[in-house]
Amino acid sequence: MDTTFAQLGLDEHILAGVEALGFTTPTPVQAEAIPLILEGRDVVASAQTGTGKTCAFALPVLQNITEASRAARERLVAQ
């Protein structure tokens, strides 16, 4: 069974964007890197051009920005 983007722990909004772009199955570099980056671990990846390294980095970064933004809004509302 192939890994799906949903199994990697990505936020539902990011998953919706990935699906809207027509991506259904992460590449091997994405499947390995995304969960590690979401855990806050450092990752160095080497793969051939066109294998999705940029997406492997960008999706977790977008998720971290989304989570930080959400937390900041919640702190403002609580004040």
Side-chain angles (χ1 to χ4, degrees):
M1 180 174 149
D2 289 331
T3 302
T4 65
F5 280 102
Q7 293 171 313
L8 300 180
L10 293 168
D11 178 85
E12 63 187 47
H13 295 98
I14 293 174
L15 289 173
V18 168
E19 290 174 12
L21 291 171
F23 297 109
T24 57
T25 306
T27 65
V29 70
Q30 293 165 345
E32 288 191 44
I34 290 172
L36 296 174
I37 296 169
L38 288 173
E39 290 176 6
R41 298 184 55 191
D42 294 334
V43 174
V44 175
S46 177
Q48 189 171 359
T49 299
T51 57
K53 293 182 300 294
T54 301
C55 185
F57 169 76
L59 293 178
V61 168
L62 289 172
Q63 180 154 319
N64 288 337
I65 291 169
T66 300
E67 289 173 357
S69 176
R70 188 176 299 134
R73 281 193 307 273
E74 290 172 1
R75 281 193 302 273
L76 286 173
V77 170
Q79 290 181 352

